[in-house]
Amino acid sequence: MSKRTPAIGFIFITVLIDIIGLGLVIPIFPDLLSELGGLTYGEASRTGTRLVTVYAVMQFICAPILGGLSDKYGRRTVILISLFGLAVDYLFLALAPTIALLFVGRIIAGICGASFTTASAYIADVTPPEKRAKNFGLLGAAFALGFIIGPALGGLLGAYDLRVPFFVSAGLTLVNFLYGLFVLPESLPKENRREFSWKRANPAGSLKQLQKNPIVMGLALAFFFIYIAGHSVQSTWSYFGAEMFDWGTKEIGLSLTAVGIMVAIVQGGLIGNVTKKLGNKKTIYLGLFFNFTGLLLFSIASSELMLYFFLAVYVLGGLAGPTLQGLISSQVPNNEQGELQGALTSLMSLSSIFGPLMMGETFYFFTKTEHYFPGAAFALGAVFSLVCFILCYRTLRKIKEPKTEDIPSPASVV
């Protein structure tokens, strides 16, 4: 198997099926938490964001470990173990009778969900530095397509029974595991592997490695803050729709499908053309402008039509992500890609520890206070988007811009 030529398409399908499984369960959480705990949507949002936080804490701890292990034993083995564990977790969640057991399930999912670290390292293994941004875009396209299919199907299945999406997700993840077992080749040759080190395979150690390169550190911090901003949407979108427009699982699923379609359009054709015409720096600045503007507009949306119109602005913020990830990846050698992607995943997970709590509590406070403002979390996200812009400006001015005809065509998740 390891002698077969690695193909980007294999990892694309692996990530796609994984994201469909994840997207399937998103629309059901507001109603599931309300049913299990007798909670209002505001209270359910607090519990929901704490579930996300537990997941993120475990991913923060485990991502560098899995990244380091993949640098020593190869990407394929780590991906397969993670997928099998995730399938078991979905079955556990499907049968969990209490909110407390949902938390246990999210702990398991956080450990196994760090497989995205290894998927990113896989992309770096099989791609030359000048084309990594483009192929990281395929990973982003898999996310977008998965979030088109997953939430729509989850919303429909959840309307029938709130537990069905968990069983379907378990089945898809097992299919994903079998696909990887029999089809996915190894991407990291033995001569490019390095010894595993506990000193480096932990959040503190992996983040310390970033400090060795000021450009990597600056862009990584910007990466962190754009993910914090993104949690204003990820953590409150479903609850905002339920609060403002009385959405149920079906409406939430369809709205997330609309998000996926728009992201896929941006990733599928627009980003490459914009990057070729404007170059990396201007593309990042333009993407951050749309991100900031979209979040501000979300905060004042008073109708579903406005929300969907503003969504078209927000998804253009995805122009910024691919170039950031591509530039960071190009700064380290192949045998440290797992460690690097583990560090980036830890930063993303760190944002998922603080972001959901911050945004969930903001949403809760402004739906319970006399100063009623359900869009407050979106406004807060815009502030963090502005912080990201400042960090990018301070770091990118140190980088010489290559000629635009030499810039690859990337895409990324929003």
Side-chain angles (χ1 to χ4, degrees), residues 89-205:
D89 175 64
Y90 279 130
L91 290 175
F92 181 88
L93 291 171
L95 301 173
T98 66
I99 291 179
L101 288 178
L102 289 181
F103 277 95
V104 175
R106 297 317 289 166
I107 290 173
I108 300 172
I111 296 171
C112 300
S115 60
F116 294 118
T117 295
T118 314
S120 296
Y122 190 108
I123 293 291
D125 289 340
V126 300
T127 310
E130 68 274 11
K131 294 183 179 180
R132 281 178 185 164
K134 178 181 178 181
N135 285 335
F136 278 130
L138 292 177
L139 205 60
F143 273 79
L145 188 57
F147 272 106
I148 292 172
I149 301 171
L153 185 58
L156 293 174
L157 293 174
Y160 174 75
D161 188 287
L162 291 175
R163 301 289 182 157
V164 169
F166 288 117
F167 287 108
V168 175
S169 295
L172 283 175
T173 307
L174 283 174
V175 169
N176 200 0
F177 168 80
L178 293 174
Y179 176 86
L181 182 64
F182 294 108
V183 179
L184 185 69
E186 179 54 61
S187 65
L188 185 64
K190 291 184 178 180
E191 61 269 21
N192 288 340
R193 300 181 186 182
R194 67 176 180 86
E195 289 301 312
F196 179 80
S197 169
W198 280 108
K199 184 177 180 180
R200 297 169 64 171
N202 60 81

Side-chain angles (χ1 to χ4, degrees), residues 152-372:
L153 185 58
L156 293 174
L157 293 174
Y160 174 75
D161 188 287
L162 291 175
R163 301 289 182 157
V164 169
F166 288 117
F167 287 108
V168 175
S169 295
L172 283 175
T173 307
L174 283 174
V175 169
N176 200 0
F177 168 80
L178 293 174
Y179 176 86
L181 182 64
F182 294 108
V183 179
L184 185 69
E186 179 54 61
S187 65
L188 185 64
K190 291 184 178 180
E191 61 269 21
N192 288 340
R193 300 181 186 182
R194 67 176 180 86
E195 289 301 312
F196 179 80
S197 169
W198 280 108
K199 184 177 180 180
R200 297 169 64 171
N202 60 81
S206 63
L207 294 177
K208 187 176 181 180
Q209 290 295 111
L210 297 179
Q211 296 178 347
K212 294 181 178 180
N213 188 320
I215 291 177
V216 169
M217 190 63 189
L219 294 178
L221 282 175
F223 210 61
F224 170 75
F225 280 107
I226 199 62
Y227 268 87
I228 286 279
H231 279 291
S232 64
V233 177
Q234 297 172 27
S235 300
T236 66
W237 178 271
S238 299
Y239 303 100
F240 179 82
E243 176 74 21
M244 287 288 292
F245 313 122
D246 198 29
W247 283 354
T249 56
K250 182 178 180 180
E251 290 80 12
I252 292 172
L254 291 175
S255 72
L256 292 172
T257 298
V259 173
I261 291 174
M262 291 184 184
V263 171
I265 291 173
V266 172
Q267 292 174 343
L270 183 61
I271 292 181
N273 294 328
V274 172
T275 309
K276 287 179 181 179
K277 291 180 180 179
L278 300 182
N280 287 348
K281 293 182 181 180
K282 291 182 180 178
T283 299
I284 290 175
Y285 296 146
L286 183 63
L288 291 175
F289 168 78
F290 281 123
N291 186 274
F292 172 81
T293 304
L295 288 171
L296 277 183
L297 292 173
F298 279 162
S299 71
I300 61 172
S302 58
S303 70
E304 293 177 82
L305 183 61
M306 289 177 66
L307 192 66
Y308 281 112
F309 179 78
F310 296 156
L311 182 60
V313 178
Y314 173 73
V315 295
L316 291 172
L319 291 169
T323 313
L324 280 172
Q325 189 169 6
L327 284 175
I328 296 171
S329 176
S330 66
Q331 303 298 310
V332 304
N334 286 342
N335 66 355
E336 295 181 8
Q337 286 296 327
E339 179 181 62
L340 171 66
Q341 299 303 331
L344 293 180
T345 302
S346 284
L347 282 175
M348 292 162 55
S349 300
L350 193 62
S351 76
S352 297
I353 294 171
F354 297 107
L357 284 175
M358 189 186 312
M359 301 307 173
E361 291 296 326
T362 299
F363 176 81
Y364 174 77
F365 177 81
F366 282 96
T367 54
K368 291 297 182 182
T369 182
E370 60 181 13
H371 304 293
Y372 186 74

Side-chain angles (χ1 to χ4, degrees), residues 26-80:
I26 291 176
I28 68 172
F29 271 112
D31 285 341
L32 180 62
L33 293 172
S34 297
E35 178 184 288
L36 289 178
L39 308 176
T40 67
Y41 285 124
E43 292 166 340
S45 72
R46 299 180 81 187
T47 303
T49 53
R50 288 166 183 167
L51 284 168
V52 173
T53 300
V54 167
Y55 174 90
V57 168
M58 297 310 302
Q59 197 171 66
F60 174 71
I61 295 170
C62 295
I65 297 174
L66 292 187
L69 288 173
S70 75
D71 281 341
K72 177 175 175 59
Y73 297 107
R75 318 301 185 198
R76 182 174 177 272
T77 300
V78 174
I79 289 175
L80 291 177

